[in-house]
Amino acid sequence: MQFTKSERAFVSVDPSKCIGCGLCEFACTMEQGEQVWNPVCSKIRVVRMAPVFNFALSCRGCDDAKCVKSCPEKAITQSESNQLLIIDEKKCKGCDWCVQACPRGGITIHTGTGKAISCNLCDGEPKCVDFCPENALEIVHSDEEADKRFNDAIENLPATIEKLAIQIKNKEWKPLLIASEQRAQIITEKLQNFNKKSTEKQHK
């Protein structure tokens, strides 16, 4: 994960790897100070189109940010150094005009505070990327990079569905079960590691 705080950077997903597990949402809410895991309050959100197509959405810090222009309270600005959104909670009324204006689903309203929230890259160390068990999340620097990964996954979707259908029709359960067990193990290890780091953080 190489980037500096003085360049545009955002979290991008590869839908061909995303399994919709929600660990990114878990990591986000805990890192951002939420008392309990609540995916609705996460600054990255998973869209589950199970079983073969899942993806995550977060703010891209767009060059022409429609959320900024749409805010009637002028509560949203962008950092001059890296284009991350800066939301003034005192001005934000939670009207959700920014949510409606965003073409990429990158901003939402916190259900607890009623204020707009968006990804801040965890001050340079995004936990969603660290704890993704499938390495489906990556830091990129342009819409072209992000869109290519998404479009490639869509293009390969029919072949993926066909392969899965053939395996199920032929009752080839063993490879499917092995893959499932491997994913479960990785998710368990990621959760254990996250809990360990959370405990260490609380005792500092």
Side-chain angles (χ1 to χ4, degrees), residues 71-98:
C71 180
E73 306 298 329
K74 307 300 181 186
I76 307 174
T77 55
Q78 284 182 283
S79 167
E80 293 182 359
S81 60
N82 56 22
Q83 298 183 205
L84 287 177
L85 296 185
I86 301 170
I87 300 170
D88 187 333
E89 291 192 358
K90 293 182 179 179
K91 291 182 179 180
C92 178
K93 296 292 194 299
C95 67
D96 102 341
W97 285 21
C98 55

Side-chain angles (χ1 to χ4, degrees), residues 1-2 14 25 28 35 45 47 55 66 70 78 102 107 121-122 127 138 155 159 162 165 173 186 196:
M1 189 190 316
Q2 298 293 325
D14 183 343
E25 295 172 318
C28 178
Q35 297 303 309
R45 287 162 298 134
V47 178
F55 55 93
K66 292 180 172 56
S70 71
Q78 284 182 283
C102 177
I107 190 167
L121 290 180
C122 297
K127 298 301 181 291
E138 182 181 349
E155 185 176 332
E162 182 180 3
W173 304 118
I186 293 172
K196 179 182 177 182

Side-chain angles (χ1 to χ4, degrees), residues 8 21 65 93 139 145 157 159 180 196:
R8 183 188 180 198
C21 67
K93 296 292 194 299
I139 293 296
E145 290 178 84
L157 186 57
S180 179
K196 179 182 177 182

Side-chain angles (χ1 to χ4, degrees), residues 115-169:
K115 308 294 184 180
I117 56 173
S118 66
C119 177
N120 60 9
L121 290 180
C122 297
D123 293 325
E125 297 181 7
K127 298 301 181 291
C128 59
V129 176
D130 289 343
F131 287 96
C132 177
E134 298 294 316
N135 295 318
L137 299 176
E138 182 181 349
I139 293 296
V140 299
H141 305 281
S142 70
D143 292 327
E144 290 74 20
E145 290 178 84
D147 291 343
K148 184 179 188 305
R149 304 173 82 207
F150 206 93
N151 292 336
D152 286 348
I154 292 176
E155 185 176 332
N156 294 327
L157 186 57
T160 302
I161 294 174
E162 182 180 3
K163 180 181 178 181
L164 179 60
I166 290 173
Q167 285 182 301
I168 294 174
K169 183 178 181 179

